Amino acid sequence: HLATSLPLPSERDHFRPRIDLIVFMIDIKSKYSLKNVEASLAHVDATFFLGKVCFLVTGVGRVNACSIDTSAVCRLGEAYCSPVLFCELELEGVRVATAQRLLRILQICAGRIPEVSALSFVSLMRSSDDD
Amino acid sequence: ENVDPQKTAFLLRKAWTLYSVTPLYRFHRARLRDYARLLSAFIAAEKQKGLAVEVGVELDIKVTVSSLADLRGSEQDAAAVLVQLSLRSQASSRNSEDKLVWSGWFCSVYGDDLSKNVPEDFTCLPLFLTHGAESYTSMVGSWFQKTFDCCFRRLAISPLNLSWMAAMWAGCKLDRAACAVELVFSVPRLSHPLDISYAIHPEDAKALWDTIQKTPGEITQEEVDVFMECLYAHFHRHFKIHLSATKLVKVSTAVASAHCDGIVKILQSQYLPGVLMLLTELAISQIQ
């Protein structure tokens, strides 16, 4: 399910299946996308931040078109205890690899991987970032 | 730091194309005249090969290579090097002067981040600025690459860095009435390219920056973000367009102007060191 911002329209609440993972996409070429994500975060229930949220920064291949300070995005990830992934959607290989990563994270968040919970996975990712 | 305005007057009010240059191997300042002669011979040879700039015109190019001792930041910086190509005058009369057709200069202003990590045989002049035909630029560049084993790359300026320049330069104190602060944005993903030009009265821009900057002489990313946010919010109030979703491509102020393709024009000599320091930093980060 794709949405340009949060909150989701309430009319469809009872049709909506359970949400296992929220991926916030930030386009490095658009300051607006970062502002939009920051505003949308306020509408997310706190329980999601126990491993069911991740940030995906796109367009990182184009360093010269960068409109966002990437350290600000990393600080956002730290503030919300959620991983930040970087990718370049225009490169097919990276696009496919990123999709596979997100799918894996989704499987964990949906409880499909035995013995790995969303919370344990995100703390695993955080400790490898610190290294 | 005291740069003689007369010596640097030629740098002002010209559109310079920017390049980053890796350190030059075994560049000797005492041999500048030799280098000029070798470069001149190289250019003549290139012309023989049929890579002439203008077809059918006999061109005799005179090359001068000089050192600009004052153009540097600290004592650690190597002094700037200026290369000039002139058309030798055909007439023998005393009144005819050589016509300057191309200039390029290498410089480093507070480039310690690069020079401190580099072995002795190397000269660090990471910023290269050119003015004149691209064909001459590529000939000069090829000769330097062959002779000093260095590498040139066009220096592009990201929207993030352009917004730093906008904030820094809009905040500069100027004696005379200045021209407007103009920001040009390119709108993505349209069938026909669209540019939005946003002009701000220089006094308003400076007043805005003065309310934001906490420590004089210091600028933080947060302060630049707030400055740009205010400008975007003002624009959105009037035109309902989110400039933050577009790409900032050009910044023009009374101090200097810069384009994302790596083209810069410096208008005020008193801010020349500041502008060069920022450009040196960008060149170094492109090299590393």
Side-chain angles (χ1 to χ4, degrees), chain B residues 161-173 206 209-210 213 217-220 223-224 227-228 251 253 255-256 271 273-279 281:
Chain B
N161 288 319
L162 283 175
S163 58
W164 268 79
M165 292 173 186
M168 277 173 66
W169 300 342
C172 286
K173 187 164 177 289
K206 177 147 174 35
W209 178 247
D210 287 342
Q213 187 181 27
E218 261 181 48
I219 303 181
T220 64
E223 288 168 349
V224 174
F227 180 74
M228 297 305 289
V251 168
T253 67
V255 169
Y271 290 106
V275 174
L276 292 179
M277 181 167 84
L278 179 56
L279 296 178
E281 208 182 301

Side-chain angles (χ1 to χ4, degrees), chain A residues 42-114:
Chain A
H43 297 281
V44 175
D45 186 76
T47 53
F48 276 94
F49 296 107
L50 298 171
K52 299 197 176 192
V53 167
C54 94
F55 297 97
L56 181 66
V57 182
T58 65
V60 299
R62 299 186 174 277
V63 166
N64 294 328
C66 179
S67 293
I68 296 178
D69 177 27
T70 44
S71 58
V73 180
C74 293
R75 280 197 299 275
L76 191 68
E78 277 167 27
Y80 285 91
C81 306
S82 301
V84 181
L85 303 181
F86 294 89
C87 75
E88 174 52 78
L89 296 179
E90 288 183 29
L91 296 172
E92 196 190 329
V94 179
R95 196 167 64 228
V96 168
T98 306
Q100 286 170 339
R101 268 183 101 176
L102 288 176
L103 205 54
R104 197 77 181 139
I105 296 174
L106 178 58
Q107 284 174 324
I108 291 168
C109 292
R112 296 294 190 93
I113 312 291

Side-chain angles (χ1 to χ4, degrees), chain B residues 43-168:
Chain B
I43 292 175
E46 290 291 298
K47 289 205 187 311
Q48 295 279 343
K49 275 197 234 166
L51 298 170
V53 174
E54 282 152 58
V55 175
V57 178
E58 282 305 307
L59 295 177
D60 192 10
I61 299 286
K62 185 175 100 170
V63 177
T64 50
V65 181
S66 50
S67 190
L68 300 168
D70 295 332
L71 214 51
R72 61 163 86 179
S74 67
E75 285 306 308
Q76 275 74 43
D77 286 320
V81 173
L82 172 65
V83 178
Q84 288 174 306
L85 270 48
S86 318
L87 269 181
R88 232 181 271 274
S89 56
Q90 297 294 321
S92 53
S93 80
R94 258 173 265 135
N95 290 333
S96 61
E97 279 177 12
D98 293 335
K99 181 175 166 235
L100 182 66
V101 293
W102 184 93
S103 325
W105 48 295
F106 298 83
C107 80
S108 173
V109 179
Y110 294 107
D112 305 341
D113 275 351
L114 185 66
S115 51
K116 67 185 182 210
N117 292 328
V118 140
E120 285 252 346
D121 282 335
F122 287 91
T123 305
C124 288
L125 290 165
L127 185 63
F128 184 52
L129 305 94
T130 70
H131 179 83
E134 164 63 35
S135 50
Y136 287 126
T137 305
S138 79
M139 279 194 268
V140 173
S142 301
W143 184 80
F144 270 88
Q145 283 187 154
K146 275 202 255 263
T147 314
F148 302 109
D149 199 22
C150 59
C151 185
F152 289 79
R153 267 179 68 197
R154 272 296 287 265
L155 182 64
I157 308 176
S158 69
L160 192 63
N161 288 319
L162 283 175
S163 58
W164 268 79
M165 292 173 186
M168 277 173 66

Side-chain angles (χ1 to χ4, degrees), chain A residues 29-32 35 63-69 75, chain B residues 156-160 221-222 225 229 242 244-246:
Chain A
K29 304 187 292 295
S30 166
K31 190 77 198 274
Y32 177 74
K35 291 272 162 243
V63 166
N64 294 328
C66 179
S67 293
I68 296 178
D69 177 27
R75 280 197 299 275
Chain B
I157 308 176
S158 69
L160 192 63
Q221 181 65 54
E222 284 76 26
D225 287 343
E229 269 311 307
H242 288 286
S244 53
T246 65

